[in-house]
Amino acid sequence: MTKHFRIAAGLAVAPFALAAASHLSAAPPTDTMMNEQVGSYDWVRPQADYIRREVMIPMRDGKKLFTVIVMRKGTKDGPILLSRTPYNAGGMTSRNRSQKIEEILPIMDADFVNDGYIRVYQDVRGLDGSEGDYVMNRPLRGPLNKTKVDHATDAYDTIDWLVKNVKESNGKVGITGSSYLGFTSLMALIDPHPALKAAVPQSPMVDGWMGDDWFHNGAFRMFGFDYDLVQTVKKGGGAVPKGTGDEYQAYLEAGSAMDYAKAYGLLDLPVVRKVLEHPSYDAWWQGQAVDKLLGARKLTVPTMLVVGQWDQEDSYGAPAVYQALKANGTPSEMVSLAIGPWRHSQVNYEARELGPLKWEGDTGAQFRQRYMKPFFDCHLKTDAPKCDTPPVVTYATGENRWEVSQSWPAGSYTPLYLAANYGLSWSKPAAGSDSYVSDPAKPVPLLPRPVHMQGEEWKTWLVHDQRFVDGRTDVLSYSTGVLDRPVHIKGAPKVELHASTSGQDSDYVVKLIDVYPQENSANPALAGYQLGIGIEIFRGRYVHGFDKPQPLEPGKGYKFQWSLPNVDHVFLPGHKIMVQVQSSLFPLYDRNPQSWVSSIMEARPSDYVKATETVTYGGDAASAVWLPVAGD
């Protein structure tokens, strides 16, 4: 039997061997010294369950933009979902070089392409496969952009080409994306193409000075230099080459933002020079603010604005656009707002947790399936279902549930006053004050040292336990007693801080914190945890207006007002509410020298001085955090 098997096996293999030999003989003859590189290899094989096309789409100025079109085989009458990206459209559509469509696209795309959508990614002008010049957050054509093209015109021309040339489509287009892609999604709403029927901008870059990537209320975000180097250098870019040590120490030793830029050769980057030249909220910044651009127009494309409650990069933009549009009378059926329990862009990934916090299931998938896709379906599908988009949808952290509201903020503003003995009071207390010394040589860190602002540490820093600074002599911590009832807030808490300084300038950082019970057997990792619910900074020189920097008069009391990020959170019974006040958050924000210099970007070592900061409470100078308390 053994001999018979071997003969049978040999007979079975022979035809295949002959066929293989025939195929090889048909190929060009090889020589051991010939060039063995070939021109290309099509990694999308015939067995793939999708079609993937790469095209160059012409713009009105003659430049062509690299675009990738992906759809499941057999797609007909499909809506187009477009994203315009600076992060390599080719790479975003070849994630695993698989023959399965769900594997080559980002996670968030699966629900769409499995339901007949045509997914399109495009490199923005001047990057990766696209022609033209790259300009960071290219402004709208006009005073800041003398050319005839911008992200609005490029989106228009792209959509025009797609609906005329993608025969599998139904001629309806939606646009989406997060961060920079959220910015390009918003720009597409300015003079939009008639085929653009819906938009979901996520964590969009809207105003780089007021509260998104480069500044927050006038304080400069030093880590932006790394992004500038990655985005605008063709060869040799990447993170600033300061090594892998403690970033707190590296930034402290470098000095001012200008000194840091000089030390690492960053002044060769036009975008760095632009930012350093515009430290205040001047016409250059104001002219780029997308919320102002959209607020001055009638919105004609239904739009759902999305942001994460703990977005460490772009917490400002989406709510700012929402408020600007509501202020100009835009109805709820045209603009809605969604806030999830996420870090930056986490809506597009698995989102079961954030740092130590655990949610009820995958909140990213829940949002996409319950709200985002139905929104696109009702506006883009040929036989569209009826639209039932909630005006506002948020996730109530603390009690961990999705909620629908009719407007935002959805709570009534109620003051929680700073009080004597480092307390917090719902009624105005007797007048008093507390002081601390702020030393620029020893700024308060944003994370326990050594500080590394990359990876998970950066993604989750906003939910890091704040006990690591509670008790520092340059941090004031005020607390309620143990709550006997829940306190539910829905909106952006507002800071009213009455303070004076012995210097001529100062930063103020306020943190709204949920203090967990000291004993927590259900989740020991959160026992006594001080969870940041909102953390934000204000640069004192702008107390009279963000375009009017002025020195502070030593010893004079000022009322500083700003907002914390938008939240939906429940402080549970048994917890406490805490408010921390400090004057630095380093190295995320550059140090305020606390003496007067016309531009903090160019402060010299001798400009950095200690200052005594005095916070007042009660009476006519009652410091408080105004909480948007919901009437549950």
Side-chain angles (χ1 to χ4, degrees):
M1 289 183 65
T2 302
K3 184 177 181 180
H4 176 74
F5 173 79
R6 287 176 177 169
I7 293 172
L11 290 172
V13 171
F16 172 79
L18 290 171
S22 175
H23 177 76
L24 288 172
S25 66
T30 60
D31 183 280
T32 56
M33 297 305 294
M34 72 182 294
N35 182 6
E36 294 186 349
Q37 287 190 318
V38 296
S40 63
Y41 169 73
D42 187 356
W43 59 268
V44 180
R45 308 313 303 157
Q47 65 267 32
D49 65 3
Y50 57 88
I51 297 167
R52 183 181 184 277
R53 300 176 187 143
E54 296 183 356
V55 296
M56 296 295 291
I57 297 181
M59 300 293 106
R60 62 190 63 187
D61 65 343
K63 301 300 181 183
K64 296 180 179 180
L65 304 190
F66 177 78
T67 309
V68 183
I69 303 165
V70 182
M71 70 191 83
R72 188 174 289 283
K73 284 180 177 176
T75 296
K76 295 180 181 179
D77 201 37
I80 294 173
L81 187 57
L82 170 67
S83 292
R84 305 190 60 252
T85 179
Y87 304 127
N88 193 320
M92 295 180 78
T93 55
S94 56
R95 195 161 52 105
N96 294 313
R97 285 203 165 194
S98 172
Q99 305 309 307
K100 296 181 179 180
I101 193 168
E102 301 98 324
E103 295 298 317
I104 68 166
L105 292 171
I107 293 171
M108 64 82 59
D109 288 334
D111 291 325
F112 291 93
V113 295
N114 287 334
D115 193 30
Y117 277 72
I118 300 166
R119 197 65 174 99
V120 179
Y121 286 87
Q122 181 181 74
D123 289 330
V124 297
R125 176 181 293 263
L127 285 184
D128 298 302
S130 287
E131 299 173 352
D133 297 326
Y134 177 65
V135 178
M136 182 84 77
N137 295 91
R138 180 184 289 265
L140 190 71
R141 60 201 183 279
L144 301 178
N145 176 1
K146 300 298 185 180
T147 74
K148 296 180 179 180
V149 295
D150 53 31
H151 286 295
T153 64
D154 284 351
Y156 188 105
D157 295 347
T158 297
I159 293 169
D160 192 64
W161 189 95
L162 290 170
V163 297
K164 291 175 180 177
N165 291 277
V166 180
K167 302 306 180 185
E168 298 89 346
S169 84
N170 66 358
K172 296 181 179 181
V173 180
I175 193 165
T176 192
S178 181
S179 195
Y180 203 121
L181 288 73
F183 161 71
T184 57
S185 296
L186 286 176
M187 293 295 283
L189 303 179
I190 298 173
D191 305 323
H193 192 282
L196 182 60
K197 302 297 184 182
V200 181
Q202 304 164 336
S203 299
M205 301 164 73
V206 168
D207 191 324
W209 197 93
M210 283 300 303
D212 286 326
D213 291 86
W214 284 275
F215 293 81
H216 276 215
N217 295 318
F220 179 57
R221 306 187 111 198
M222 295 281 282
F223 79 103
F225 287 132
D226 291 280
Y227 185 76
D228 296 337
L229 194 58
V230 169
Q231 280 296 107
T232 64
V233 175
K234 290 184 178 180
K235 186 178 180 180
V240 176
K242 57 184 176 294
T244 58
D246 182 2
E247 291 190 69
Y248 180 101
Q249 190 66 30
Y251 283 106
L252 192 63
E253 291 176 352
S256 68
M258 179 66 77
D259 289 336
Y260 181 90
K262 288 179 179 177
Y264 291 105
L266 302 178
L267 295 182
D268 292 335
L269 279 59
V271 65
V272 168
R273 295 199 302 273
K274 287 179 182 178
V275 170
L276 293 175
E277 290 167 3
H278 296 276
S280 298
Y281 198 51
D282 57 15
W284 188 74
W285 287 109
Q286 294 180 42
Q288 298 180 62
V290 185
D291 57 327
K292 293 180 174 62
L293 296 173
L294 289 171
R297 292 166 166 79
K298 180 180 179 181
L299 182 68
T300 60
V301 178
T303 300
M304 175 184 283
L305 296 154
V306 182
V307 70
Q309 183 162 299
W310 286 284
D311 190 312
Q312 77 279 12
E313 295 177 23
D314 296 303
S315 63
Y316 176 86
V321 172
Y322 176 80
Q323 295 298 342
L325 290 172
K326 296 303 291 184
N328 76 8
T330 303
S332 294
E333 57 267 25
M334 290 299 295
V335 62
S336 57
L337 177 66
I339 303 174
W342 308 310
R343 60 164 174 82
H344 185 65
S345 299
Q346 196 180 10
V347 61
N348 291 322
Y349 300 90
E350 185 177 283
R352 299 179 183 276
E353 60 189 38
L354 182 64
L357 307 175
K358 314 294 182 185
W359 314 126
E360 297 294 330
D362 183 349
T363 59
Q366 290 167 8
F367 172 76
R368 297 191 302 268
Q369 294 164 7
R370 296 179 191 177
Y371 303 108
M372 180 176 168
K373 186 172 179 296
F375 170 78
F376 274 129
D377 286 350
C378 76
H379 291 293
L380 300 181
K381 286 197 168 185
T382 298
D383 298 316
K386 182 180 178 181
C387 286
D388 190 25
T389 305
V392 181
V393 59
T394 55
Y395 192 85
T397 55
E399 293 190 340
N400 297 355
R401 63 172 185 263
W402 287 104
E403 298 185 328
V404 170
S405 303
Q406 297 305 306
S407 60
W408 195 260
S412 298
Y413 279 98
T414 304
L416 183 58
Y417 293 101
L418 277 57
N421 301 316
Y422 301 104
L424 293 173
S425 173
W426 296 104
S427 58
K428 186 180 291 188
S433 65
D434 295 308
S435 298
Y436 60 93
V437 175
S438 173
D439 185 357
K442 300 176 182 178
V444 182
L446 86 156
L447 287 167
R449 294 181 62 186
V451 175
H452 299 103
M453 293 195 295
Q454 301 95 20
E456 287 303 311
E457 287 184 281
W458 169 242
K459 292 176 182 178
T460 61
W461 83 265
L462 282 167
V463 296
H464 192 90
D465 191 344
Q466 294 301 309
R467 280 179 292 187
F468 80 100
V469 296
D470 189 15
R472 278 183 59 127
T473 58
D474 53 358
V475 176
L476 302 178
S477 295
Y478 299 86
S479 178
T480 65
V482 175
L483 299 176
D484 59 5
R485 59 180 177 83
V487 177
H488 191 176
I489 61 172
K490 302 178 73 172
K494 297 179 180 180
V495 174
E496 180 183 340
L497 187 72
H498 293 263
S500 62
T501 179
S502 64
Q504 292 181 290
D505 197 2
S506 180
D507 289 347
Y508 295 102
V509 177
V510 167
K511 304 174 182 177
L512 177 65
I513 295 168
D514 186 343
V515 182
Y516 281 64
Q518 286 296 328
E519 295 187 54
N520 189 352
S521 59
N523 190 346
L526 290 176
Y529 202 92
Q530 293 184 5
L531 172 65
I533 302 304
I535 301 175
E536 195 55 276
I537 194 169
F538 185 94
R539 182 142 285 174
R541 63 175 50 207
Y542 298 111
V543 68
H544 300 297
F546 289 122
D547 59 341
K548 301 180 181 69
Q550 295 180 26
L552 302 177
E553 183 179 331
K556 179 180 178 180
Y558 293 90
K559 181 168 70 172
F560 302 97
Q561 294 178 291
W562 71 99
S563 294
L564 303 181
N566 286 267
V567 298
D568 182 349
H569 181 73
V570 181
F571 297 90
L572 296 172
H575 291 225
K576 298 178 181 179
I577 301 175
M578 176 180 282
V579 172
Q580 287 181 350
V581 182
Q582 58 198 58
S583 286
S584 49
L585 195 59
F586 190 76
L588 175 56
Y589 296 102
D590 64 339
R591 296 171 298 150
N592 192 315
Q594 302 180 158
S595 66
W596 178 254
V597 291
S598 59
S599 172
I600 290 177
M601 301 289 202
E602 302 180 36
R604 298 164 300 178
S606 60
D607 294 324
Y608 293 91
V609 298
K610 293 181 181 180
T612 298
E613 311 294 343
T614 301
V615 174
T616 60
Y617 51 81
D620 295 330
S623 295
V625 175
W626 291 71
L627 301 179
V629 179
D632 293 350

